[in-house]
Amino acid sequence: MKQRVLRTIILLVLGVYFVLPLVAMAEFSTRGVGGSRSLDSWTSIVEDEGLMAALANSLLLSVTSAVLMLVLLVPTMAWIRLRLPQLQRLVEFLCLLPLAIPAIVLVVGMAPLYAWVNYFLGDSALTLTFAYTVLVLPFAYRAIDAGLSAIDLKTLAEAARSLGASWLTVLWKVVVPNIRVALIGASLLSVALVLGEFTIASLLNFDTLQVQVNLLGKRNAGVSIAVSLLCLIFAFVLLFALSYVGQRRRQTVAEEETLQGSS
Amino acid sequence: MTSVAPVATTPGGSTKIRGGAAGRPSAAAWLVAVPFLAFAGTFLVYPTVLVLVGAFQDSDGAFTLENITTLFTGVVFDAFLLSIELSALTALIGAVFGALLTWAIAVGNPDGMLRRTVVAGSGVLAQFGGVPLAFAFLATVGFEGLVTKFLRDNAGIDLFAGSAWLFELPGLTLVYTFFQIPLMVIVFLPALDGLRPQWREANASLGGTSWTYWRHVGGPILTPPFLGALLLLFANAFSAYATAAALVSQGSPIVPLQIRGFLTGEVVLGQENLGKALGLGMVVVVTIAMGVNVLLQKRVAKWVRR
């Protein structure tokens, strides 16, 4: 009983603390002239060409970064488990390294590098893919590592190989389908991270969603607050979906365990 | 090596791209790791080394300790002090309230809506908030914010009577807390989930109370992960940039904003490498916090494993 009271108090107090700013954003972004309500801020989101272009950049970037992350990590991590265990430590270290190096510090080192990247590849915002793939490495590594740990990769790969499958086939038809839940999780996390990223894009002068939102804040607070609220809601929906993906994994594992137990 | 043998004896039909590497010794096997290593080398290791080495160079590339000694003087040193103060303060607030919130959802239904919502919401605010968080606070307690207006119109209280506190340490503390508490929920939840119901039952069957349980079982087990989370929160606040950058457009009270000054050319020319020294300083602080955290987690790993 005492526990229930304490729990309710905590949830109420912190609930208000966290929900109040969101309510304030909704209120602020619907202010009209002379105390009336208006949806002008929300409708002008789609009319703002700069904002739409930046949103397109960010969406495209979130896809390219997730793809590059998968292409780089999945074969390497699977291969390391199968044939190159001596590289395990190095790859893990590299993937977790971005946690110890603040993004703002990474930008300092990337600025001269990006002078070269832009010289060779042009100064499209899509070149940020490289920087963002670095940023998502720790999250993606953990998700994929958990996925690979949950399956008996060696046996699966040997079985496929002994039936004549090439390594590429093993990767594409055995490894990927077996860890697809982990891959979905890793991809959703990188999409959310890329859509919310500001530090690197802003300091390397690329035009992404958050950079535009920040610029917009200086001339039209209502619109930038409306977009900010949209970003938060969108990221929430992504992560909420992710919690169901995680649950399905738990259930599948549990089902497999029951099957193994009964056979 | 036994596992490799059967694979190596079946080269049939494996002539495509990576297939050729299968039968041959590891020289070819290493090739598969090349794309990742090349990428990480170029976009992660190289920029890092550039910062770390540049911190010890002058503008002509000669070795110098001047950048490092400058870290301990004037506005740069003040920024480090304020950054550490802000990070420690918000880590402590975040850890305490975050632990309470974690407990409140951990005792509930593990697949329930409440827990799902809090966990997903925590992920958003802790990791992907950035700029939107700054605007959330402008909408709430900014000059024309909801709470500011409400207090002004109904209670006659002017939130900004004293100073522009929202853009200084008190404001930053408030905003940082908004992503520190959620981060605590994410990192502390596994530790609370790791407490086994049997321990509570054992305590009860030996005549223990709720107090003796937390005093002798729950508390001691949760102390290392709590301290670990505290360090992680510290490192997180210390590294954070986006929210502060969107909120504070003038002046550079904290280290990340000082680095912005160096990158956007607001600072005297010829001092670029001082920016790298600031970066090195940040890496050192974060690494110490994360290093101690790793040691703690290793000690406690056997308790939270499920």
Side-chain angles (χ1 to χ4, degrees):
Chain A
M1 202 56 213
K2 222 169 65 185
Q3 176 179 321
R4 181 171 294 173
V5 173
L6 186 60
R7 187 169 175 244
T8 314
I9 293 173
I10 292 172
L11 287 174
L12 272 180
V13 170
L14 289 176
V16 169
Y17 178 71
F18 282 104
V19 172
L20 187 63
L22 302 179
V23 173
M25 288 171 100
E27 190 273 335
F28 197 105
S29 61
T30 53
R31 278 185 200 169
V33 273
S36 65
R37 295 284 117 191
S38 141
L39 282 174
D40 282 355
S41 294
W42 289 84
T43 48
S44 51
I45 291 178
V46 279
E47 287 159 11
D48 191 314
E49 284 174 17
L51 193 61
M52 283 296 112
L55 175 65
N57 274 346
S58 280
L59 286 175
L60 207 54
L61 266 173
S62 67
V63 175
T64 53
S65 307
V67 169
L68 183 61
M69 174 275 289
L70 291 174
V71 167
L72 284 173
L73 276 187
V74 178
T76 312
M77 289 176 67
W79 190 250
I80 278 167
R81 277 169 182 263
L82 291 169
R83 298 288 298 274
L84 283 174
Q86 57 268 55
L87 266 188
Q88 176 95 42
R89 292 259 154 184
L90 176 67
V91 171
E92 181 178 4
F93 171 77
L94 287 173
C95 285
L96 299 185
L97 189 60
L99 291 181
I101 305 179
I104 178 83
V105 177
L106 215 49
V107 177
V108 176
M110 276 185 174
L113 184 66
Y114 261 81
W116 285 102
V117 169
N118 295 336
Y119 178 77
F120 285 113
L121 300 176
D123 57 358
S124 151
L126 280 185
T127 52
L128 275 177
T129 302
F130 301 118
Y132 286 175
T133 304
V134 168
L135 284 192
V136 303
L137 279 183
F139 303 97
Y141 177 86
R142 283 187 184 144
I144 297 173
D145 190 53
L148 286 172
S149 302
I151 62 172
D152 188 354
L153 184 64
K154 279 210 156 138
T155 310
L156 288 172
E158 278 163 22
R161 292 286 292 147
S162 68
L163 292 169
S166 73
W167 278 112
L168 212 55
T169 312
V170 171
L171 188 66
W172 187 244
K173 296 212 164 150
V174 178
V175 177
V176 169
N178 271 293
I179 59 167
R180 67 176 186 287
V181 174
L183 298 185
I184 294 170
S187 309
L188 286 182
L189 280 178
S190 22
V191 168
L193 197 129
V194 171
L195 290 181
E197 208 284 330
F198 170 73
T199 310
I200 294 182
S202 125
L203 290 169
L204 293 180
N205 291 317
F206 287 110
D207 202 13
T208 63
L209 179 62
Q210 302 295 340
V211 174
Q212 270 296 324
V213 171
N214 185 43
L215 275 180
L216 201 56
K218 295 189 171 67
R219 42 169 225 272
N220 192 336
V223 180
S224 65
I225 285 169
V227 183
S228 294
L229 185 54
L230 262 188
C231 292
L232 291 177
I233 293 172
F234 185 70
F236 177 81
V237 171
L238 275 189
L239 292 201
F240 199 74
L242 194 62
S243 80
Y244 280 94
V245 171
Q247 185 187 32
R248 243 184 32 219
R249 177 170 57 205
R250 276 206 305 279
Q251 276 174 353
T252 329
V253 172
E255 278 161 18
E256 274 160 14
E257 272 165 5
T258 354
L259 280 177
Q260 277 164 5
S262 60
S263 61
Chain B
M1 290 313 284
T2 48
S3 56
V4 178
V7 175
T9 54
T10 53
S14 57
T15 43
K16 281 174 200 161
I17 307 175
R18 294 206 179 94
R24 266 177 261 140
S26 58
W30 285 84
L31 282 179
V32 180
V34 166
F36 171 78
L37 293 179
F39 173 81
T42 312
F43 289 95
L44 177 58
V45 178
Y46 174 72
T48 308
V49 171
L50 216 58
V51 172
L52 303 188
V53 172
F56 295 97
Q57 288 176 330
D58 61 20
S59 48
D60 298 322
F63 175 82
T64 175
L65 281 177
E66 205 189 314
N67 301 320
I68 308 295
T69 50
T70 311
L71 288 186
F72 297 95
T73 57
V75 286
V76 179
F77 191 62
D78 292 342
F80 264 99
L81 285 185
L82 192 68
S83 270
I84 289 173
E85 190 187 339
L86 174 67
S87 310
L89 187 62
T90 59
L92 203 61
I93 298 172
V96 170
F97 285 96
L100 287 174
L101 181 57
T102 313
W103 170 79
I105 59 166
V107 294
N109 174 8
D111 283 323
M113 269 319 238
L114 175 73
R115 179 170 167 145
R116 253 181 229 291
T117 309
V118 173
V119 170
S122 296
V124 176
L125 297 177
Q127 282 154 322
F128 314 112
V131 176
L133 282 195
F135 286 112
F137 274 83
L138 290 176
T140 316
V141 287
F143 290 117
E144 288 298 319
L146 180 67
V147 173
T148 316
K149 273 178 56 162
F150 179 82
L151 289 179
R152 195 194 296 144
D153 298 347
N154 298 293
I157 300 172
D158 182 5
L159 277 182
F160 290 92
S163 64
W165 61 274
L166 184 59
F167 309 99
E168 291 160 5
L169 181 66
L172 287 175
T173 307
L174 182 68
V175 182
Y176 276 38
T177 307
F178 209 64
F179 60 72
Q180 292 283 65
I181 294 177
L183 183 63
M184 184 66 180
V185 172
I186 297 173
V187 294
F188 201 55
L189 192 55
L192 266 182
D193 280 342
L195 290 180
R196 291 181 205 151
Q198 292 92 326
W199 296 338
R200 191 179 264 285
E201 287 156 18
N203 170 65
S205 67
L206 290 169
T209 59
S210 195
W211 164 249
T212 52
Y213 171 75
W214 286 110
R215 169 78 182 78
H216 296 290
V217 184
I221 288 172
L222 289 180
T223 303
F226 180 84
L227 294 177
L230 192 66
L231 287 160
L232 193 75
L233 262 60
F234 176 85
N236 182 54
F238 197 76
S239 311
Y241 167 80
T243 312
L247 199 61
V248 185
S249 52
Q250 300 290 319
S252 311
I254 55 175
V255 185
L257 298 184
Q258 290 235 322
I259 294 182
R260 168 175 72 178
F262 283 99
L263 278 163
T264 51
E266 284 169 17
V267 195
V268 199
L269 280 174
Q271 280 200 318
E272 291 92 350
N273 286 355
L274 186 54
K276 292 178 181 144
L278 281 168
L280 172 67
M282 285 192 80
V283 171
V284 169
V285 173
V286 173
T287 306
I288 292 173
M290 301 290 274
V292 179
N293 180 21
V294 168
L295 291 179
L296 270 171
Q297 296 312 308
K298 272 192 183 147
R299 265 198 59 184
V300 81
K302 57 183 174 190
W303 291 106
V304 293
R305 193 177 297 146
R306 274 176 288 173

